[in-house]
Amino acid sequence: MLFDLSSSYFEGTTCPLAKLGYSRDKKKGKLQVNYGMMADERGCPIGVSVFPGNVGDPKTLIPAAQKARDNFGVSDIVLVGDRGMISQKQVNALKEMGGFDWITALKTGAIRSLVKDGSVQLGLFDERNLFSFEHADYPGEQLIACRNPELAKLRAHKRDALIASTKAELDKVVGMVESGKLKGKDAIGVRTGKVINKYKVAKHFEL
């Protein structure tokens, strides 16, 4: 079965499910209603759930899993989803429910913690760039680490482009200061602050 959440903006004020939330329609300030579609492997709809417009993806996972089990008589279910849908909070809830397994990805902060304590090291990757391990923070779970050299190249290229764009913006600030258009420590600091982390690469610069 396949499940995904979408939304539609709402015209009116009487629907109790209409709330302000993340707008996939890019309609700022509009109320919306979220709906989850469940489909079979062919993509044919087999169930629809409706949620308030301010409910995020993770909170729809447990109701969808329960519906799959109760409505279709499935006793053992393996949920496969991204880190946005299957968060640690949902994993803990699934453990308590029983009958569910899952495959998902850890968030960046969790991965950094594993790297920091030495659980993930570049030297541990074999020829296929994969290795599996266990960790006390994830009891009963099997962790698999994957090193993707092509993704590393892509991210390095993107990072370099963002740094170049930030440098160009900072050069404009320098030009304004040198020409006298921007004066005073406070004014320069405010203008620089607007630029330095625009592309989230401030840590790569010394001001």
Side-chain angles (χ1 to χ4, degrees):
M1 289 176 284
L2 309 171
F3 176 79
D4 198 12
L5 188 73
S6 191
S7 62
S8 291
Y9 70 93
F10 185 83
E11 296 287 0
T13 58
T14 59
C15 178
L17 293 176
K19 306 286 183 181
L20 287 174
Y22 170 68
S23 178
R24 296 166 178 81
D25 298 313
K26 307 302 180 184
K27 298 285 187 179
K28 291 184 178 180
K30 288 281 189 181
L31 299 177
Q32 67 176 25
V33 174
N34 290 340
Y35 54 89
M37 172 70 74
M38 189 176 293
D40 65 14
E41 59 184 4
R42 301 168 297 169
C44 296
I46 56 177
V48 178
S49 301
V50 185
F51 304 94
N54 58 353
V55 170
D57 290 26
K59 290 186 178 180
T60 67
L61 178 69
I62 300 301
Q66 289 174 322
K67 177 176 284 191
R69 183 167 64 181
D70 299 341
N71 290 6
F72 303 106
V74 183
S75 58
D76 297 310
I77 298 178
V78 179
L79 300 170
V80 183
D82 61 24
R83 69 196 79 193
M85 179 66 82
I86 308 180
S87 67
Q88 191 59 47
K89 185 176 181 179
Q90 276 62 51
V91 167
N92 294 337
L94 291 171
K95 286 181 178 179
E96 292 182 5
M97 292 168 61
F100 291 97
D101 291 305
W102 57 90
I103 299 174
T104 187
L106 292 178
K107 293 186 177 180
T108 302
I111 296 174
R112 284 176 178 163
S113 295
L114 294 173
V115 173
K116 188 175 181 179
D117 72 11
S119 297
V120 177
Q121 305 170 34
L122 288 179
L124 296 174
F125 291 100
D126 63 16
E127 294 178 356
R128 297 186 179 183
N129 288 320
L130 285 170
F131 75 91
S132 64
F133 63 104
E134 297 178 356
H135 195 277
D137 290 346
Y138 306 92
E141 300 181 40
Q142 189 73 22
L143 302 180
I144 299 177
C146 172
R147 180 175 180 270
N148 187 333
E150 294 305 315
L151 182 59
K153 292 178 184 177
L154 179 64
R155 287 181 172 169
H157 176 75
K158 182 179 180 180
R159 182 173 60 251
D160 290 343
L162 294 176
I163 290 174
S165 295
T166 301
K167 185 177 184 302
E169 293 289 334
L170 289 173
D171 286 343
K172 291 180 183 178
V173 177
V174 172
M176 293 172 66
V177 173
E178 291 177 344
S179 65
K181 293 181 179 179
L182 186 63
K183 298 180 180 180
K185 183 177 180 180
D186 291 343
I188 295 171
V190 169
R191 185 58 183 261
T192 303
K194 290 181 179 179
V195 170
I196 188 62
N197 208 31
K198 180 179 180 180
Y199 299 116
K200 311 299 181 185
V201 290
K203 65 182 181 181
H204 296 286
F205 289 87
E206 290 185 11
L207 299 178

